[in-house]
């Protein structure tokens, strides 16, 4: 890493095309800026803090900088190593939403906090006997979390296409776990290793030597990352990985798969090359072959396409800085508008979530549609509209992102001062109330609060957790299944976050607490 930092010539070829630079406007967010900072750190002129940790974590892993670098430095892999070092080894704080995802994943095997028992609910009933859970086949279809719990049309359309193509495949259903991408980029590598073990075992239990994915991130894990980690973990791998578009492209070229005439309205579409299926896995032609084979569809390319395609801005920007993600998404969507596209086709469930949210926030007049859905429609299949669920789920997620910040936690604590004061150990609650009646006493204690709170809060949290859960439920309307899991998830999330955040929370809650105790507020 040090060698790479000093090898960077500071030429700046990476800067303009970095989504973190053009989304934020600060060169410190670009690869050149990060290499410069690392040199400053190595020479003792800079120190790590949470803001700098976040600067490295927020990289979307689009890998465009790897192609732009005049020195051919492995930029994205270097940032990935730093994630593991900072979070797994040095126990620094990852993005707070990842802690919620991690606990949901440990409990139910997915990042959306859906129940494992509902993972296969989307699977078409008429295909269960032929391809459903419990069977064995040479190929395993891997749906991933977002297609299983949010954008059902992606998975439903993918299995319809594979079935029509005559592919002998099976879907594992409930045993399937998240592919682990969120935990890898979050730096939670011990949990990621556990996921790798479990998913490889699922494939083996299904009798499969090939995994077919629809999600580009899942594809990237199985194709590029799992083999490396399987070797580290001493696991026999030997699994071939294909994207469903590659399967269909081969059959289209051989004449085995042909789209019949359809009654779709003629439409002009463009193609978003998801970073993880394009630059990471090198799959560019297969999706285009599929698009061009669909009758009544006119295909146009965006200015930035294939290996030069711009990132959508998900997932890391979206969960760290939603307004920045919307700006990045708008940049990508406007390319589609400029070439006259009515629809932006994509593969990645997370790209689609991000682009749909960006289109709505920024009022960009273009529709985001999954490729498998369009192809399935051309075969006469109908699928549920994913947009209501996308915006509903994102509304919950967005609210939790705002909550899991120092400002959010301070605001939450401000709704429960009576309970917090009563929960203080060692009889401090009555003492604090008494001091509130003595003019100036609590203000004199202010310098002690940064020392006291980190020690007291862990003892207070179990007592106030029921009230906190009530307040969170009132603040964030969430699905029943998520609300039911909050008593298990929230304490673990708080245990993970508060040791890192307490230093930023205390200054925000000190004066409001004094105002409450002195009777200025209720």
């Amino acid at each position: 890493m040090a060698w790479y930092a000093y090898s960077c010539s500071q030429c700046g070829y990476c800067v303009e095309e970095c989504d973190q630079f053009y989304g934020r406007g600060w060169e410190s967010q670009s690869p050149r800026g990060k290499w410069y900072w690392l040199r400053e750190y190595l020479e003792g002129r800079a120190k790590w803090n949470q803001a700098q940790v976040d600067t490295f974590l927020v990289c979307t892993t689009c890998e465009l900088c790897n192609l732009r670098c005049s020195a051919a430095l492995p930029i994205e892999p270097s940032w990935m190593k730093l994630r593991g070092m900072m979070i797994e080894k040095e126990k620094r704080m990852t993005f707070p939403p990842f802690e919620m995802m991690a606990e949901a994943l440990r409990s139910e095997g997915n990042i959306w906090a859906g129940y494992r028992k509902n993972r296969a609910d989307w699977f078409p009933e008429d295909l269960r006997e032929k391809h459903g859970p419990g069977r064995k086949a040479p190929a395993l279809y891997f749906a991933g979390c977002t297609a299983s719990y949010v954008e059902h049309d992606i998975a439903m359309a993918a299995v319809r296409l594979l079935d029509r193509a005559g592919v002998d495949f099976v879907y594992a259903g409930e045993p399937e776990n998240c592919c682990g991408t969120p935990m890898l980029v979050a730096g939670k590598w011990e949990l990621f290793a556990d996921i790798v073990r479990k998913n490889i075992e699922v494939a083996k239990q299904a009798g499969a030597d090939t995994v077919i994915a629809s999600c580009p991130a899942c594809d990237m894990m199985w194709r590029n990352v799992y083999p490396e980690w399987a070797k580290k973990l001493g696991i026999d791998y030997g699994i071939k990985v294909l994207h469903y578009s590659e399967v269909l492209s081969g059959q289209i070229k051989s004449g085995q798969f042909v789209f019949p005439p359809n009654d779709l309205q003629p439409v002009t579409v463009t193609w978003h090359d998801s970073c993880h299926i394009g630059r990471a896995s090198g799959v560019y032609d297969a999706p285009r072959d599929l698009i061009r084979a669909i009758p009544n569809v006119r295909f146009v390319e965006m200015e930035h396409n294939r290996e030069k395609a711009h990132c959508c801005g998900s997932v890391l920007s979206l969960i760290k800085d939603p307004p920045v993600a919307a700006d990045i998404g708008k940049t990508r969507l406007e390319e589609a508008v400029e070439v006259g596209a009515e629809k932006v086709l994509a593969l990645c469930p997370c790209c689609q979530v991000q682009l749909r949210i960006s289109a709505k926030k920024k009022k960009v007049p273009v529709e985001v549609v999954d490729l498998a859905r369009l192809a399935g429609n051309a075969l006469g299949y109908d699928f549920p509209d994913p947009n209501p669920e996308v915006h509903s789920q994102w509304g919950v997620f967005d609210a939790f992102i705002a909550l899991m910040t120092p400002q959010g936690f301070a605001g939450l604590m401000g709704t429960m001062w009576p309970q917090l004061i009563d929960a203080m150990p060692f009889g401090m609650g009555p003492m604090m109330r008494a001091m509130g009646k003595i003019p100036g006493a609590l203000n004199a204690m202010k310098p002690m609060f940064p020392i006291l709170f980190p020690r007291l809060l862990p003892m207070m949290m179990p007592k106030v957790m029921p009230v906190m859960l009530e307040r969170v439920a009132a603040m964030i309307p969430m699905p029943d299944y998520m609300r039911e899991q909050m008593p298990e998830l929230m304490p673990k999330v708080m245990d993970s976050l508060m040791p890192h955040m307490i230093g930023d929370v205390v200054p925000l809650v000190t004066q409001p607490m004094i105002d409450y105790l002195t009777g200025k507020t209720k």
Side-chain angles (χ1 to χ4, degrees):
M1 192 78 69
W3 189 90
Y4 295 145
Y6 285 101
S7 296
C8 172
S9 66
Q10 296 286 293
C11 69
Y13 288 165
C14 61
V15 175
E16 293 294 332
E17 294 299 305
C18 174
D19 57 67
Q20 294 307 298
F21 171 73
Y22 64 73
R24 300 169 188 274
W26 291 94
E27 190 174 331
S28 59
Q29 305 295 307
S30 72
R32 178 168 72 174
K34 292 173 184 176
W35 286 129
Y36 180 84
W37 185 89
L38 283 171
R39 294 209 295 236
E40 292 293 290
Y41 167 72
L42 290 167
E43 294 180 18
R45 293 190 292 270
K47 293 183 179 180
W48 285 104
N49 57 27
Q50 191 59 47
Q52 195 59 44
V53 171
D54 290 352
T55 293
F56 283 93
L57 287 177
V58 82
C59 163
T60 57
T61 72
C62 79
E63 300 192 21
L64 188 52
C65 55
N66 291 351
L67 299 179
R68 300 281 297 176
C69 182
S70 62
L73 297 178
I75 300 172
E76 188 277 331
S78 297
W79 301 169
M80 188 65 76
K81 288 179 182 177
L82 279 175
R83 295 171 197 269
M85 181 194 79
M86 293 184 295
I87 308 304
E88 191 71 32
K89 293 183 179 179
E90 297 184 2
K91 306 302 179 185
R92 297 178 185 271
M93 184 175 72
T94 190
F95 292 158
F98 281 135
E99 295 293 355
M100 183 71 80
M101 291 183 194
E103 294 308 327
L105 207 159
R106 288 188 181 100
S107 174
E108 298 294 333
N110 71 89
I111 61 171
W112 291 97
Y115 285 126
R116 184 180 286 277
K117 65 182 181 181
N118 299 127
R119 191 174 189 103
D121 286 359
W122 62 268
F123 197 80
E125 283 297 326
D126 61 304
L127 296 183
R128 282 187 178 270
E129 185 175 347
K130 189 176 181 183
H131 301 295
R135 290 185 65 258
K136 290 184 181 291
L140 171 72
Y141 170 67
F142 190 87
C145 296
T146 304
S148 297
Y149 290 98
V150 182
E151 294 165 316
H152 293 159
D153 62 319
I154 297 174
M156 294 170 72
V159 296
R160 289 291 184 193
L161 291 170
L162 292 172
D163 178 62
R164 284 289 288 266
V167 178
D168 185 9
F169 73 94
V170 64
Y171 167 60
E174 289 183 28
E176 180 184 284
N177 296 279
C178 172
C179 71
T181 300
M183 296 302 101
L184 185 69
V185 299
K188 300 180 83 67
W189 287 9
E190 184 176 344
L191 180 53
F192 178 73
D194 186 51
I195 293 166
V196 172
R197 292 186 186 96
K198 288 179 178 177
N199 277 334
I200 293 174
E201 183 60 27
V202 168
K204 290 179 178 179
Q205 290 297 318
D209 59 11
T210 300
V211 168
I212 301 174
S214 50
C215 169
C218 297
D219 179 285
M220 178 180 68
M221 290 296 105
W222 283 96
R223 190 187 299 249
N224 301 325
V225 182
Y226 280 16
E228 295 178 10
W229 279 73
K231 186 175 181 180
K232 290 180 190 177
L233 298 170
I235 301 171
D236 180 46
Y237 193 63
I239 295 173
K240 180 182 178 182
V241 181
L242 291 169
H243 189 265
Y244 76 78
S245 64
E246 294 178 287
V247 176
L248 293 171
S249 171
Q251 294 204 2
I252 288 169
K253 289 177 179 178
S254 68
Q256 294 175 271
F257 187 90
V258 178
F259 283 95
N262 62 59
D263 57 0
L264 295 178
Q265 290 295 315
V267 62
T268 299
V269 305
T270 192
W271 176 244
H272 169 66
D273 288 284
S274 300
C275 306
H276 292 156
I277 199 70
R279 281 182 291 272
S281 295
V283 179
Y284 295 111
D285 291 326
R288 288 170 169 82
D289 293 338
L290 186 53
I291 295 169
R292 292 189 176 102
I294 303 173
N296 296 327
V297 173
R298 175 176 171 263
F299 175 56
V300 293
E301 290 277 16
M302 285 190 269
E303 177 185 355
H304 295 90
N305 61 74
R306 295 180 178 264
E307 67 274 2
K308 296 180 181 179
H310 279 170
C311 180
C312 71
S314 187
V315 165
L316 290 130
S317 296
L318 188 59
I319 67 170
K320 171 59 179 172
D321 295 303
V324 172
D327 288 337
I328 296 171
K330 179 174 180 281
T331 298
R332 187 58 169 154
L333 290 169
E334 285 179 340
E335 284 194 55
V337 174
E338 287 169 5
V339 296
E342 301 165 70
K343 300 178 189 289
V344 175
L345 301 181
L347 293 175
C348 179
C350 292
C351 288
Q352 292 175 47
V353 168
Q354 153 68 353
L355 292 174
R356 286 179 173 126
I357 293 165
S358 298
K360 184 177 181 179
K361 283 185 176 180
K362 297 297 183 178
K363 297 180 172 56
V364 183
V366 68
E367 184 182 1
V368 179
V369 179
D370 179 67
L371 173 57
R373 180 194 182 94
L374 181 68
N377 289 158
L379 293 174
Y381 296 110
D382 290 322
F383 305 103
D385 180 5
N387 285 287
E389 188 66 14
V390 165
H391 293 295
S392 173
Q393 290 273 15
W394 176 248
V396 175
F397 219 84
D398 197 24
F400 268 109
I401 291 171
L403 173 64
M404 291 187 287
T405 62
Q407 295 78 10
F409 282 132
L412 177 61
M413 292 172 70
T415 69
M416 44 195 287
W417 285 124
Q419 293 83 6
L420 283 166
I421 301 301
D422 290 343
M424 286 184 171
F426 313 123
M428 289 190 65
M431 183 192 76
M432 294 290 283
R433 292 184 188 279
M435 294 190 71
K437 297 176 182 179
I438 303 172
L442 290 174
N443 280 317
M445 287 184 66
K446 270 187 178 181
M448 296 177 61
F449 291 156
I451 300 170
L452 285 173
F453 264 96
R455 290 166 171 77
L456 297 178
L457 207 56
M459 291 181 272
M460 296 161 60
M461 274 298 159
K463 299 177 184 178
V464 300
M465 187 55 66
V467 176
M468 180 176 286
L469 291 170
E470 289 178 10
R471 299 289 193 273
V472 171
M475 294 166 62
I476 306 175
M478 62 186 90
D480 290 344
Y481 62 81
M482 188 178 292
R483 186 171 59 253
E484 290 164 3
Q485 294 179 72
M486 280 298 112
E488 179 182 353
L489 297 179
M490 199 67 181
K492 295 176 181 177
V493 171
M494 295 296 289
D495 286 346
S496 296
L497 294 180
M498 269 304 156
H500 299 287
M501 277 194 186
I502 191 68
D504 294 321
V505 172
V506 171
L508 298 174
V509 300
T510 297
Q511 192 57 50
M513 183 184 69
I514 291 173
D515 290 343
Y516 166 74
L517 289 168
T518 56
K520 292 181 180 178
T521 60
K522 294 183 179 180

